[in-house]
Amino acid sequence: MTTDETAVPEPIATLDAPPVPVAIVPDDPRTGEPRIPWVVRIASVLSQLAVAVVIGSLLWVYWRAVDVDGFASASWLMGQFVTEPGSLGRVLLAVAVTVIALVICAPLAITGYYAWTGYRWTRVSGLIGAAVSFGALTLVPPAWAAIPLAAGAAGLLWLPAATRYFAAWTARRHPAEVFAPPTTDVYYGPLPRYR
C-alpha cells in the first residue's frame, strides 16, 4: 500500500456557530453583562429603601410596645384592641404586626434584587409589592413612606429602558435553539473507499 504524500486530507465536517444575538442593551465592558439602566438602578434602590423603612418602623413599634402603658399607641393596629398587659391578645398583636411587616417586605426585597439581575417578572412582583405596601398604614406614620417608595419602584420597572434591559437578559439567558443541519450521506456498512 502506497501513500500519496501530496494528497490534501479532507476537512472535518463541523457545525456553524450559533448566531450572535443582536444587542438590545450594550454590554458593560467590566462585567460582560448588559449594562444596568438608571431606571432599574433607581427602582432597586427604592425597593430596598421601602424595606428599610418598614423594618425600621417595625423596630420602633417593638420599642414602644415594650412599655406597658405605651402598647396601645405603639401602632395603629395595636390601638384598635383593648388588651391587658401580658395577655395572649398582646402577643398575637405583636405577631400580627410582624407578619404584616414581613408580607410587605418580602415582595419588595425580591423585586429590588431580581430587577437588578434582569428578570422580567419583577415588574409583576413590583406591582404586588406596591399593593401590599398599603399594609404599612397599620403600623406607624413613618412606615407610610414605604408606600410611595414601592409605587415608584413598580412604576420605573415598566419604563421602556427597563423593558429593553429585561429583554437583553432574556435573550442572554434563553438563546434561540439552533438545530444541526440534517445528515443525508449516512453509509451503513463499510465505507465506499474501503470496498
Side-chain angles (χ1 to χ4, degrees):
M1 182 172 176
T2 61
T3 59
D4 186 10
E5 305 228 355
T6 60
V8 178
E10 294 182 22
I12 298 173
T14 58
L15 298 176
D16 294 332
V20 177
V22 177
I24 302 170
V25 175
D27 286 347
D28 189 345
R30 293 176 293 142
T31 62
E33 297 174 344
R35 189 175 304 227
I36 304 171
W38 64 271
V39 292
V40 174
R41 290 177 190 262
I42 293 173
S44 294
V45 169
L46 289 177
S47 291
Q48 301 304 337
L49 277 175
V51 170
V53 165
V54 171
I55 295 298
S57 298
L58 180 65
L59 293 175
W60 179 251
V61 168
Y62 288 162
W63 180 258
R64 291 175 57 189
V66 170
D67 183 21
V68 174
D69 298 327
F71 185 84
S73 64
S75 74
W76 178 86
L77 182 65
M78 292 175 174
Q80 301 306 307
F81 302 96
V82 178
T83 57
E84 294 297 321
S87 67
L88 179 63
R90 286 198 174 190
V91 173
L92 292 177
L93 283 173
V95 169
V97 168
T98 305
V99 168
I100 289 169
L102 289 175
V103 167
I104 294 169
C105 290
L108 292 173
I110 289 169
T111 299
Y113 176 76
Y114 284 102
W116 186 274
T117 55
Y119 287 92
R120 182 187 313 266
W121 54 263
T122 56
R123 297 155 92 179
V124 176
S125 69
L127 293 175
I128 293 169
V132 298
S133 69
F134 283 96
L137 295 173
T138 63
L139 301 175
V140 290
W144 300 352
I147 297 170
L149 291 172
L156 288 174
L157 292 177
W158 289 90
L159 292 178
T163 302
R164 287 190 300 272
Y165 177 67
F166 295 145
W169 265 112
T170 301
R172 173 82 48 105
R173 286 188 182 105
H174 307 288
E177 292 184 20
V178 177
F179 295 100
T183 305
T184 56
D185 53 349
V186 177
Y187 294 103
Y188 295 97
L191 294 175
R193 64 181 173 207
Y194 295 117
R195 288 188 190 170

